[in-house]
Each structure stands twice: as C-alpha cells, then as structure tokens.
C-alpha cells in the first residue's frame, strides 16, 4: 500500500488540509489557523465529504476556542456558541458537521474547571473524533466486504462521487469497502462515475485509486445504465451525507439515478456510512435539507461556459435515494437492511 491519504492533519498547532479543489493536477496543502478560515475551507470544498467535514469542523471549534480572549467561563461558552453557528452555516446536508459541532459544544459545557482546561479538552476531543473516524471506516470496510455478493469471486464495483480517504479522516466509507475488497483479493475493478457538476469521481476517486494501484475505469454519469445492462457491474457502493431513520439516504446528486438503474438490473446497492451519518431525529428523507450551490457549477465545465446566456439553472448538490432501493446500509456495526437501521439507535453513545 502507498502512503495513506489524510485530508485533515493536526500539525504544529494548526490544521493542514489537502486542497481538494486542486486535485488531481496539483497536490497542495493549506494551513488553517482560525475558525473563520476553516468555515471558508468547508464552504469552498477545500475539505469535503461528510465525515471529513465533521473532523474539520471539530478542529474549527477548537481553533475558535483558542481565539476567544475571555477567561470567564460563561462568556467563553457564549462565544463558542457563536463560532458553532458560523461553522454550521457552511454546508447544510452532511449531518456529520452538526454532529461534530454538537459533540464539541457538549464537551465544552461538561468540562469542569477553567477556560484553559476546556480548551485543552476541546483539542483532545477533535483529535478523538478524527481517530475514531479512521477506525470506523476500517470497520465499515470490513463489514462491507463481508456483505458483498459471493459471486463472482472478483467483483466490479461502481461508485459515485468520492467517499474515500479524502472524504473521511482516511480510508473512506464506500472506497473503504473497495479498499478492503482489493486487499482481500475480491476486487476486479472500480467503475467511478465522473459525478457532474463538481467531478469528485473523476478528480478524486480515480486519484485515490491510482495512488494505491487499484484498477479503476472512469465513466461519465450517463454510462452507468449501459454498463449495468451489459452485466459489467456486480455491486454499487456509495457513501452518504445524511440517512433518515427509515433508511432513506442523501448522497451526491446522481446517486438516486444510479440506485434506480441498479434496481432495474438486480445489482445490489450498498450505502456505506458511519452511524454518525444517521439522523435518527428525522423520519424520512423528505426532511433532509438539500444544499443548492452556485449555478456556475452547471453553466460551466471548468472555466468553459457550455450554454447560451439567458438560460436558468438548478443546482442541487445532493439527492435522496429511497430506502426501498437500498440493499443494505453498512456502518461500523455491520450491514443492516434499511428497516433494521432503527435497531442501531443509541449505539456508540
Ligand atoms: O459535496 P461533497 O463532495 O462534500 O459530497 C460528498 C458526498 O456526497 C459523499 O458521497 C458523502 O459525503 C460521503 S463521504 C464518505
């Protein structure tokens, strides 16, 4: 295996992020020393992918705590709440963002002692969130491998967007399953949807696979049905940004169409995500807030404008795959059907 990929690193008293907007052409890292900078990095997708956003936001909370000058505990907690609000406003769909911020706020409130003691505990908590996510993804990889079809021996797996090391603390969720399958000798090839408009599949998933020598074929999003019709795909594995209590799963725009096509061709469709991506507070996917992004992502490919002026745009960044189309949801606790998901509520708390 090549060097592991860590999109968020705590080093020399600051956070180092891999700039995911520049891959694969340039591997550049960005130092982040303040909460506001972190909010901008999340919003502009320098760091992206639900669990990675959670890890980044947790460090953002610590960086913010460091910027608060008061030594009065109540005032400190009040100002920390303002930082939380700023970080929450970056991206609405990935629940891991809100989960990580809440965990940091709970830690601050429940840590007795001085402001300095709270700050120290916040750093330890951000580091723990990061370390836990790495272990969680490895478990998801192993459980996902066990849930994959037994035949053929070497599988062709299609994935959408990037749910890899870059989207997590390292290893990945959907790509974690792929990594585990590769290590176990059960992977023939990954088919990566390019994932318009931001091209995370083309730019990031293929980059990760190339780093590790995992065989990968890039297809445009409109080729998935054709590939399944030809029997080229044995399983689909995707990540998620938020999963409702009934198993409906929000993931990158285009995931829903892949799920429909998989159902039509009897190809098993797996959603791989940590339990922190499940939002038990909402009953169905209809309640999941869907981020809408800049129309330029649709009107342009790179810097090239692809349509006449006067056209209107719609740019939802995520869609919701109904539970009925999902074969299994793979978390760190194993693979369950969407109907069984409720049984995991409260685990890990
Ligand atoms: O807009 P992005 O790139 O943050 O969207 C990422 C995805 O949709 C991923 O599939 C999801 O966050 C899971 S990442 C393990």
């Amino acid at each position: 295996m090549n060097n592991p990929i860590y999109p968020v690193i705590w080093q020399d008293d600051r956070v180092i992020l891999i700039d995911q907007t520049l891959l694969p052409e340039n591997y550049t890292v960005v130092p982040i020393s303040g909460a506001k900078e972190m909010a901008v990095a999340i919003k502009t997708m320098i760091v992206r992918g639900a669990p990675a956003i959670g890890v980044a936001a947790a460090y953002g909370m610590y960086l913010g705590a460091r910027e608060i000058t008061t030594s009065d505990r109540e005032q400190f907690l009040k100002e920390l709440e303002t930082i939380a609000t700023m970080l929450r406003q970056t991206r609405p769909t990935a629940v891991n963002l809100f989960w990580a911020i809440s965990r940091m706020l709970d830690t601050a409130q429940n840590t007795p002692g001085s402001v300095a003691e709270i700050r120290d505990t916040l750093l330890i908590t951000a580091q723990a969130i990061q370390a836990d996510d790495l272990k969680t993804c490895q478990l998801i990889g192993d459980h996902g491998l066990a849930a994959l079809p037994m035949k053929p021996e070497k599988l062709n797996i299609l994935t959408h967007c990037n749910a890899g090391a870059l989207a997590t603390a390292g290893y990945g969720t959907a790509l974690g399953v792929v990594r585990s399958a590769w290590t176990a000798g059960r992977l023939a090839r990954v088919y990566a949807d390019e994932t318009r408009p931001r091209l995370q599949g083309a730019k990031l998933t293929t980059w990760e696979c190339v780093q590790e020598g995992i065989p990968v074929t890039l297809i445009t999003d409109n080729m998935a049905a054709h590939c399944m019709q030809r029997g080229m795909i044995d399983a689909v594995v995707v990540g998620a940004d938020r999963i409702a209590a009934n198993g409906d799963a929000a993931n990158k725009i285009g995931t829903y169409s892949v799920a429909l096509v998989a159902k039509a061709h009897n190809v098993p469709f797996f959603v791989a995500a940590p339990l922190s991506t499940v939002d038990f507070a909402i009953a169905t996917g209809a309640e999941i807030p869907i981020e809408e992004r800049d129309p330029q992502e649709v009107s342009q490919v790179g810097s090239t404008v692809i349509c006449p002026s006067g056209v209107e745009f719609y740019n939802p960044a995520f869609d919701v795959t109904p539970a009925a189309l999902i074969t299994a949801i793979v978390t760190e606790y194993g693979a369950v059907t969407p109907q069984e998901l409720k049984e995991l509520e409260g685990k890990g708390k």
Side-chain angles (χ1 to χ4, degrees):
M1 191 165 131
N2 280 342
N3 288 339
I5 299 161
Y6 299 124
V8 183
I9 296 173
W10 177 251
Q11 197 177 71
D12 300 332
D13 248 14
R14 59 191 183 161
V15 178
I16 306 288
L17 298 176
I18 298 177
D19 187 343
Q20 300 191 36
T21 64
L22 300 179
L23 286 171
E25 296 91 346
N26 294 303
Y27 181 94
T28 309
V29 296
V30 186
I32 305 282
S33 304
K36 202 157 183 195
E37 273 175 89
M38 185 60 91
V40 172
I42 295 171
K43 204 171 173 60
T44 58
M45 296 174 67
I46 286 173
V47 60
R48 35 66 53 201
I53 291 172
V55 171
Y59 279 115
M61 288 290 288
Y62 169 66
L63 295 175
R66 231 172 40 173
E67 287 159 353
I68 301 172
T69 50
T70 182
S71 54
D72 177 74
R73 190 189 157 90
E74 285 319 304
Q75 181 61 23
F76 172 85
L77 291 174
K78 217 168 124 199
E79 290 183 33
L80 195 63
E81 189 63 61
T82 309
I83 289 156
T85 303
M86 175 189 65
L87 285 163
R88 281 194 198 103
Q89 279 160 358
T90 52
R91 298 199 69 189
T93 304
V95 76
N96 309 61
L97 173 81
F98 304 92
W99 171 86
I101 292 170
S102 294
R103 186 161 157 196
M104 294 294 282
L105 281 177
D106 288 348
T107 300
Q109 270 143 14
N110 297 331
T111 303
S114 67
V115 164
E117 281 165 308
I118 301 178
R119 265 196 211 107
D120 290 347
T121 314
L122 284 176
L123 177 58
I124 291 165
T125 307
Q127 289 172 316
I129 289 174
Q130 183 173 27
D132 287 352
D133 185 69
L134 195 56
K135 278 189 234 141
T136 294
C137 283
Q138 278 154 352
L139 286 170
I140 291 172
D142 294 345
H143 292 308
L145 169 64
L148 286 171
M150 291 314 289
K151 284 196 175 125
E153 195 197 327
K154 287 194 189 285
L155 300 161
N156 288 292
I157 296 179
L158 183 136
T159 191
H160 190 74
C161 193
N162 171 266
L166 287 166
T168 59
Y171 205 73
T173 55
L175 271 194
V177 176
V178 164
R179 279 195 166 82
S180 296
W182 176 243
T183 309
R186 291 229 46 222
L187 184 77
R189 172 165 298 275
V190 181
Y191 283 82
D193 279 352
E194 69 171 350
T195 318
R196 268 282 283 158
R198 298 279 306 201
L199 305 176
Q200 290 95 328
K203 290 175 177 239
L204 307 177
T205 296
T206 60
W207 181 79
E208 282 195 33
C209 290
V210 167
Q211 300 302 303
E212 292 200 23
I214 297 176
V216 60
T217 297
L218 175 64
I219 57 172
T220 61
D221 296 328
N222 48 4
M223 294 174 188
H226 170 82
C227 294
M228 289 195 214
Q229 191 181 46
R230 294 246 160 144
M232 293 161 63
I233 307 297
D234 303 302
V236 177
V237 188
V238 298
D241 287 80
R242 194 185 295 225
I243 303 174
N246 73 340
D248 292 349
N251 191 47
K252 181 52 53 194
I253 191 76
T255 304
Y256 176 32
S257 357
V258 177
L260 285 167
V261 170
K263 188 76 166 181
H265 293 93
N266 263 324
V267 172
F269 183 94
F270 297 94
V271 173
L275 199 61
S276 55
T277 301
V278 184
D279 186 350
F280 286 106
I282 61 167
T284 76
E287 294 168 59
I288 299 176
I290 301 293
E291 176 182 8
E292 282 191 37
R293 295 190 62 86
D294 190 336
Q296 268 194 5
E297 292 181 353
V298 176
S299 65
Q300 293 182 199
V301 174
S303 53
T304 307
V305 177
I306 56 166
C307 56
S309 59
V311 173
E312 290 185 11
F313 304 99
Y314 177 46
N315 187 17
F318 300 95
D319 60 24
V320 176
T321 297
L325 300 178
I326 299 171
T327 309
I329 296 173
V330 185
T331 74
E332 63 272 37
Y333 295 98
V336 295
T337 62
Q339 297 72 35
E340 291 165 338
L341 189 62
K342 270 249 171 225
E343 291 164 25
L344 300 182
E345 188 168 3
K347 276 210 190 267
K349 289 219 167 118

